[in-house]
Amino acid sequence: MTAQIAAGATEESLHRATPEQRRARTVGILLLLLAAFVLWIFGLGVESTDTSTFNLSLPGAKYENIKWEVDSRMLSAILAAVIAFLGGLVLRRTYLRWTNVALAISLALTALSFLTWAAAGKSFSLVGMLVSTVVLSIPVTLGALSGLMCERVAVINISIEGQLLTSAFVGTIVGSAANIWIGFIAAVLVGALLGAVLAVLAIRYHIDQIIAGVVINIFALGLTSFLARRVLTAAPELNSPGRFASAKIPFFGDIPVIGPMFFDQNMFVYATFILVIVIHFGLFYTRWGLRSRSVGEHPKAADTVGIDVHKTRYRNVILGGCIAGLGGAFLTLSQVSRFEENLTAGIGFIGLAAMIFGRWMPFGALAAGLVFGFARALQQKLGILGTPIPSEFLSMLPYIVTIIVVAGVVGKSRPPAADGQPYIKQ
Amino acid sequence: MELALSGITKQFPGVLANDDVNLEVSGGEILALLGENGAGKSTLMNILYGLYTPTAGEIRIDGTARQFDGPGDAIEAGIGMVHQHFMLVPVFTVAENVMLGNEPTKRFGWLDLQRARKTVREISSRYNLDVDPDAIIEDLPVGLQQRVEIIKVLARQANVLVFDEPTSVLTPTEVVGFVEIMNGLKADGKAIIFISHKLTESLELADRIVIMRRGRTVAEVTPANMDEEKLAELMVGRPVDLVVNKTPAKPGEVVLSVENLVVLDDRDKRMVDGVSFEVAAGEIVGIAGVQGNGQTEIVEAITGLRPSLGGYVKLKGEDITTASARSIHKRNVAHVPEDRQRSGLVLPFSVTENIVLDSYYEEPISNGVRMDWPAAQEQATRLVEQYDVRTPGIDVAVSTLSGGNQQKVIVAREFDRDVTFVVASQPTRGIDVGSIEYIHSQIVGERDQGAAVLIVSSELEEIMALSDRIIVMFEGRIAGEFDSSATRTEIGLAMLGSRPEEITS
């Protein structure tokens, strides 16, 4: 007998590390470096007497003047110690599944330390920034939801950017010419229309979905830029659609910090939260969701039990377009109230990244949207605070966060199994 | 319950897949539809299930003609199909898969999971299937997945059940359980059609056997007055040699030795868990086991296609554990991969290009920069001739060849050297009997010329016919080792993970 029967390998015989262990080692070392960085730059980079003041209420709020004053150097030192501790835990590699949690906590603590450093010796409206975070997260979350609706039925929607841009444009013009509500409806319909174009190209003609999406993006950018220059310059009255006012929810709106973030916003913000909940329960608890997911995971299995794969895909991709249309409407009918060339500047692509970061789950999309919203809010507020960091670097921040998140933090996540593949019946 | 297919003809571009086929089956009967790959069995069943529209002919159920425009119509008419490649969504639970397309709902399309679970439990207990409605499909062994497919079909009130190659994924013991299920369904008055190319089980299971060849039904027989040789002859159209002719092995020095190997799959699951064995020159070692017990990963680790986590692979005493696939290939290792279409061939490439796929970078096919196409064509012509590849020419895309001839192209490419070690995975999966005979004789030929041979196959018959020594794998470990005199039952038990001592007692 040369074969050794039924003996499992002992742990000592495993002389090569698993990918998970290698990852934990890398993350652990990175966290230790991060801790050193936080201590050295943010901790020792301020005067020892400096205090940072964080305002936790907005001027004119019901409960005014809530403040948090803290010794800048001390706080960063504590945060650095916590990060180093987490890094050490990860390096021990006993709890591999907590690697990502440790990483996420450490990044959040780093952000806090960074704010302490930036606000050293000054006063900083933390709640203002958190409100901006929510507002700026809306188009990203809606973009991610749009992508999620499509990818759950295995159609890759890379044209979210184009859908946002075109809807924003049409929303502006129709909103200015008629009224803001009709503009809003027009924006959603245009999103649906572009969704339908993508659906026809991808489902009916089996065109590579990435290429179809890129074509729609280029088309949207070219068309809106051309029309903006021709029409909006000649008739500037078509470029002022007005804004949806915010509607404060009684009682909840007065809660410090949480109130202004979530309960004193306009209807787009509320609509986004409701959509996240509706799509989550729809996907996982209804017939529509079960069938949609089956079409995205194993379209042939869906077909053999009598589900119309193509119809399901058309419906969801068009719905995805509507959601992107809502995001586009938000950009010009709520945020800035005028259209400019390439107004979206990549928000649609960040939305796509948020979808991946959120692992194709609606609440994941929301959380990822908030992370990106935070990065953009940080960029804006730091510009006001005046830090030694050049503004060009600050404007890169959301995109850098995108790269880090997609390349490093996500780890292995699993897209729908049939993602991107056309379904061809024999 | 009477189902009749009459005059079914299906014309695909360039191929007449079904030619005036007639078939009847009634409730309480098991019908075997026997034929080689490409005989038109699956086409016929796909027509019955509404996946294809027939060019001519009609389907009658209890005397009324029915037309199926899609599986939905067939399901409604009481026809259910268990596909060879299961139609289950891997990330869904059993209950979700069973209710898909036929969902019990409350208001607003809200899924009634309780009712779906109840349906699964009821059918499961009625036919003794023992399936947990909340298990996730991808965590279940194949035998249980098949039962989920059966529940799925029964939940739709099917009266005719079609099984496409139902036993090809099962262990011998699971087959016993499957036969019981089939008989339970039969006793319940269901009509059963099962598609197969296996002679033994058709004889054992069926009440009636219909044999198809080249799109036509060529014979209808009852198992009572049939034996395997006669069936094989009807199926292939000529007398067939069912046993592999070979002399006893004369094992020489050890060529391949695997020590304590540990390998992960793509999802970081430990598929090979401390496996050690040796293969000597001049012997064929077969690895038996149900698919998915680590065989794929072992072969990939040996051939340098997958890194291993622990242990060693040695070829003639030399450590090749971390060597690249090319450097292993250059040590005269021949590899016939498991999936010829995905990893054995470049399908759109010509026969010539596929034949030089392992030597395109060196003399005489190229000088390192420029390809010498005449030399490549010369080599292709010689090998096509020598290995009996039936192809219209060496410049046609290899995708147009039949499965058997595609496999011969791979064998020609891999064996046309002074091979010291052969590893062949599923060497005859899905190919015709003639090519099976040929490839088996080539493998035995390599052994007789002194090569060490490792065969992996999920067909136990193939392992038993070819091997001089058999290793059984179960859940990433070696569950038993046998010489060529071992019986089917002994090996079958080991494939289920029984301990060796239990087998011998």
Side-chain angles (χ1 to χ4, degrees), chain A residues 1-9 14-17 285-287 291 293-294 297-298 301 303-305 412 414, chain B residues 49 71 87-89 100-101 103 109 111 138 262 266 270 273-274 276 278 308-311 469 477-478 481 499-500:
Chain A
M1 286 261 203
T2 55
Q4 187 188 331
I5 289 172
L14 305 180
H15 42 89
R16 292 176 280 273
Y285 296 95
T286 69
R287 173 163 60 197
R291 293 187 170 191
R293 286 185 293 135
S294 75
E297 294 284 347
H298 195 334
D303 193 9
T304 54
V305 292
K412 247 187 203 170
R414 224 163 127 192
Chain B
Y49 195 58
M87 292 298 161
L88 298 171
V89 180
L100 184 64
E103 302 88 349
L111 294 172
E138 61 187 358
V262 179
D266 292 334
R270 197 184 286 188
D273 192 9
S276 305
E278 288 177 345
S308 53
L309 194 61
R469 205 149 56 79
R477 296 177 186 185
I478 289 176
E481 191 190 356
R499 295 303 213 149

Side-chain angles (χ1 to χ4, degrees), chain A residues 44-191:
Chain A
L44 303 177
V46 294
E47 299 297 319
S48 58
T49 51
D50 276 347
T51 55
S52 307
T53 309
F54 295 111
N55 286 328
L56 297 179
S57 58
L58 292 171
K62 192 169 175 189
Y63 309 99
E64 235 179 330
N65 282 328
I66 308 171
K67 284 195 174 108
W68 182 36
E69 267 178 74
V70 64
D71 182 324
S72 313
R73 182 175 285 181
M74 180 66 91
L75 181 62
S76 284
I78 294 171
L79 293 175
V82 175
I83 295 171
F85 175 71
L86 288 173
L89 274 190
V90 170
L91 265 185
R92 289 194 55 181
R93 290 189 256 168
T94 16
Y95 308 105
L96 283 175
R97 67 176 66 180
W98 295 101
T99 308
N100 271 340
V101 178
L103 182 60
I105 295 175
S106 301
L107 290 178
L109 298 181
T110 308
L112 181 58
S113 170
F114 177 62
L115 284 177
T116 319
W117 169 78
K122 299 172 203 153
S123 168
F124 175 72
S125 173
L126 188 62
V127 72
M129 198 189 76
L130 291 177
V131 171
S132 301
T133 298
V134 173
V135 170
L136 292 167
S137 78
I138 296 303
V140 177
T141 305
L142 288 172
L145 287 177
S146 166
L148 183 149
M149 286 290 282
C150 302
E151 295 210 7
R152 279 289 181 177
V153 290
V155 175
I156 295 176
N157 182 5
I158 211 168
S159 61
I160 303 166
E161 176 81 2
Q163 293 171 343
L164 287 174
L165 190 60
T166 316
S167 313
F169 177 76
V170 171
T172 310
I173 296 227
V174 177
S176 311
N179 76 42
I180 191 165
W181 279 98
I182 296 178
F184 167 74
I185 291 167
V188 171
L189 289 180
V190 164

Side-chain angles (χ1 to χ4, degrees), chain A residues 1-22 152 277-278 280-307 412 414-417 423 425-426, chain B residues 49 51-52 69-72 75 83 86-92 96 99-103 105 108-111 113 138 152 156 260-262 264 266-268 270 273-278 308-312 321-322 469 471 477-481 499-500:
Chain A
M1 286 261 203
T2 55
Q4 187 188 331
I5 289 172
T10 53
E11 294 305 318
E12 301 81 64
S13 70
L14 305 180
H15 42 89
R16 292 176 280 273
T18 65
E20 250 183 338
Q21 288 171 329
R22 276 202 299 272
R152 279 289 181 177
I277 295 167
V278 167
H280 177 82
F281 284 97
L283 267 182
F284 297 104
Y285 296 95
T286 69
R287 173 163 60 197
W288 164 77
L290 188 75
R291 293 187 170 191
S292 298
R293 286 185 293 135
S294 75
V295 162
E297 294 284 347
H298 195 334
K300 196 158 183 203
D303 193 9
T304 54
V305 292
I307 294 169
K412 247 187 203 170
R414 224 163 127 192
Y423 182 65
K425 271 183 105 142
Q426 291 102 339
Chain B
Y49 195 58
L51 286 167
Y52 297 156
D69 292 326
I75 293 168
H83 300 261
F86 298 147
M87 292 298 161
L88 298 171
V89 180
V91 295
F92 282 12
E96 284 176 328
M99 70 171 153
L100 184 64
N102 187 24
E103 302 88 349
T105 49
F108 309 119
W110 200 264
L111 294 172
L113 266 169
E138 61 187 358
K152 211 169 123 183
R156 288 168 172 74
N260 222 4
L261 196 65
V262 179
L264 303 183
D266 292 334
R267 292 167 55 201
D268 292 345
R270 197 184 286 188
D273 192 9
V275 164
S276 305
F277 64 90
E278 288 177 345
S308 53
L309 194 61
Y312 298 94
T321 320
T322 53
R469 205 149 56 79
I471 294 170
R477 296 177 186 185
I478 289 176
E481 191 190 356
R499 295 303 213 149

